[in-house]
Amino acid sequence: MADMQEYHGKLVTIERFILDQQQAHPAATGTLTNILYDMALAAKIITSKTTRAGLAEILGSAGEENVQGEEVQKLDVFAQRTIFRLNDHTGRLAVMASEEEEIIPIPSRFSVGPYVLVFDPLDGSSNIDMNVSIGTIFGIYRRKTTSGPGTLQDVLQPARNLVAAGYILYGASTMMVYSTGNGVHGFTLDPAIGEFLLSHPNIKLPARPKYYSTNQGYQPFWTPGVQAYTDWLQRDTPEKKGLSLRYIGSLVADFHRNLLSGGVFYYPADNKDPKKPGGKLRLVYEAGPLAFLIDQAGGSASDGTQAILDVEPARLHMRVPLFIGNRILVEQAESFIRRYDQVTVAA
Ligand code: AHG
Ligand code: MN
Ligand code: MN
């Protein structure tokens, strides 16, 4: 892979960068490269709608519910359809899966390919109408079955099997951040020319964390361990200064800020909503791809007891508690949960 210094201060499009990265894999056929190209194209198409959502009759509810029983926003539907239409006919994927549906087969009139695309088409939907940053999350696996249409078995893989993952952040600027296992790289869309340009090569989590990010509105419903952990985060300790709280309510935006500033995001299990006893975030298309990225950026992600990368998805929409960010902060979360929450079974 080209040395990152080579790119410093240069004008590099995401297409050129992805192609350069492909050179590091002599056996590469270019299929994964093309899937990443198409995610960048999806980002441009979805951005064109988000930047004028208030005008383009794209705000508000689509008047339907998704498989989660959640109200679907028009932009959720638009983003879902955009990603599907860019990928259904290319012969690169065996199957797709997203937050909005059960698994999404490749239409029988098209050929299937070696990869699997999992995605959250629009993350932070509750923020769309409030003009607050939202995002898209994606992960790419190699299929496990050997031929024919992809199946749920191809989708339900632990995040450690990912070959690529990334997100798109529709914020003050639109960014695409991805990794194929050779570091995490960020690109900013220049709307004047419609190109994603390399703006954040080889992102590494800062050693000194600045923020903790969680919805403290649920604090009364957290376990004693998570309550004690939150108190620890707020205080100066030998390991770190007391952290400030930042919570946007869009996972992609909260994750991105912590990736650049250092910190921890957590959405723990709580006993407030019986519908989400094990936390709200979904393993396959939210926690898993971000765990792949944070690992590449020098951090870690846990469900409070084990690495997210190793959690086996039992179901497509399986929810997990999520602690993600600087390794020392995630390890402390696990330590507090071990100390306060895990009732040791009497020998
Ligand atoms: P989505 O819009 O894809 O359903 O995801 C929303 C998620 C995530 O983006 C965010 O971290 C979390 O919901 C916020 O949940 P609360 O409003 O309960 O804090
Ligand atoms: Mn989401
Ligand atoms: Mn979503």
Side-chain angles (χ1 to χ4, degrees):
M1 183 183 72
D3 178 279
M4 283 300 142
Q5 279 314 314
E6 174 193 316
Y7 291 112
H8 192 68
K10 299 276 176 49
L11 207 48
V12 181
T13 64
I14 192 168
E15 286 80 5
R16 168 124 95 67
F17 189 89
I18 294 172
L19 217 45
D20 287 353
Q21 291 252 309
Q22 179 188 318
Q23 313 303 349
H25 303 275
T29 61
T31 305
L32 179 61
T33 290
N34 287 319
I35 299 170
L36 290 169
Y37 281 169
D38 284 344
M39 287 314 292
L41 179 54
K44 295 178 192 176
I45 295 169
I46 296 166
T47 275
S48 71
K49 284 282 191 249
T50 56
T51 48
R52 45 193 182 80
L55 305 171
E57 272 311 293
I58 200 100
L59 282 182
S61 162
E64 49 192 79
E65 278 196 349
N66 62 12
V67 289
Q68 326 267 345
E70 291 164 346
E71 188 179 39
V72 176
Q73 302 299 315
K74 290 177 187 167
L75 210 51
D76 284 323
V77 173
F78 179 77
Q80 165 84 7
R81 284 196 182 132
T82 299
I83 294 171
F84 175 76
R85 289 176 56 205
L86 279 169
N87 287 285
D88 66 337
H89 60 282
T90 61
R92 300 178 192 134
L93 299 178
V95 66
M96 289 183 255
S98 95
E99 173 194 359
E100 303 303 331
E101 304 183 31
E102 295 312 328
I103 69 164
I104 307 166
I106 300 302
S108 52
R109 64 186 182 284
F110 300 130
S111 54
V112 294
Y115 290 103
V116 176
L117 176 67
V118 296
F119 61 101
D120 177 357
L122 206 89
D123 172 71
S125 305
S126 62
N127 282 326
I128 294 172
D129 291 5
M130 320 304 163
N131 199 17
V132 170
S133 297
I134 48 183
T136 296
I137 306 169
F138 66 91
I140 302 168
Y141 290 101
R142 277 196 192 75
R143 70 179 299 173
K144 288 181 72 175
T145 55
T146 50
S147 62
T151 66
L152 192 57
Q153 185 195 348
D154 292 306
V155 171
L156 298 186
Q157 298 187 50
R160 202 171 288 285
N161 292 3
L162 283 165
V163 292
Y167 58 83
I168 301 147
L169 177 58
Y170 311 99
S173 64
T174 295
M175 281 194 69
M176 179 158 154
V177 177
Y178 85 90
S179 174
T180 56
N182 290 313
V184 179
H185 311 289
F187 301 81
T188 299
L189 180 66
D190 179 339
I193 57 173
E195 291 285 0
F196 275 105
L197 300 177
L198 181 64
S199 53
H200 298 69
N202 210 24
I203 303 174
K204 289 295 178 193
L205 262 175
R208 185 184 300 275
K210 276 184 78 173
Y211 301 119
Y212 76 99
S213 183
T214 190
N215 184 338
Q216 278 189 269
Y218 299 135
Q219 181 143 5
F221 309 97
W222 290 344
T223 61
V226 176
Q227 306 252 10
Y229 173 61
T230 302
D231 184 80
W232 177 84
L233 288 169
Q234 294 162 341
R235 299 178 188 281
D236 291 357
T237 66
E239 302 88 350
K240 53 125 188 67
K241 287 282 183 208
L243 304 183
S244 293
L245 170 63
R246 292 283 188 283
Y247 191 70
I248 301 167
S250 292
L251 172 57
V252 169
D254 281 315
F255 177 87
H256 183 73
R257 183 209 47 250
N258 286 357
L259 179 66
L260 298 185
S261 66
V264 61
F265 170 96
Y266 54 110
Y267 204 112
D270 61 56
N271 58 21
K272 177 174 183 178
D273 179 347
K275 275 196 303 183
K276 54 179 178 87
K280 172 181 185 180
L281 298 173
R282 281 59 58 106
L283 172 63
V284 170
Y285 42 80
E286 288 176 316
L290 296 183
F292 180 88
L293 287 170
I294 203 76
D295 180 66
Q296 283 289 313
S300 66
S302 169
D303 67 359
T305 58
Q306 66 170 318
I308 291 288
L309 287 174
D310 296 327
V311 179
E312 288 285 345
R315 298 174 310 286
L316 172 56
H317 303 297
M318 173 176 162
R319 298 175 192 264
V320 289
L322 177 63
F323 300 80
I324 188 166
N326 287 75
R327 191 173 298 281
I328 54 157
L329 300 181
V330 174
E331 286 170 351
Q332 278 295 334
E334 292 180 329
S335 164
F336 277 97
I337 289 169
R338 254 193 317 276
R339 200 183 322 161
Y340 290 84
D341 298 345
Q342 277 167 352
V343 177
T344 43
V345 178

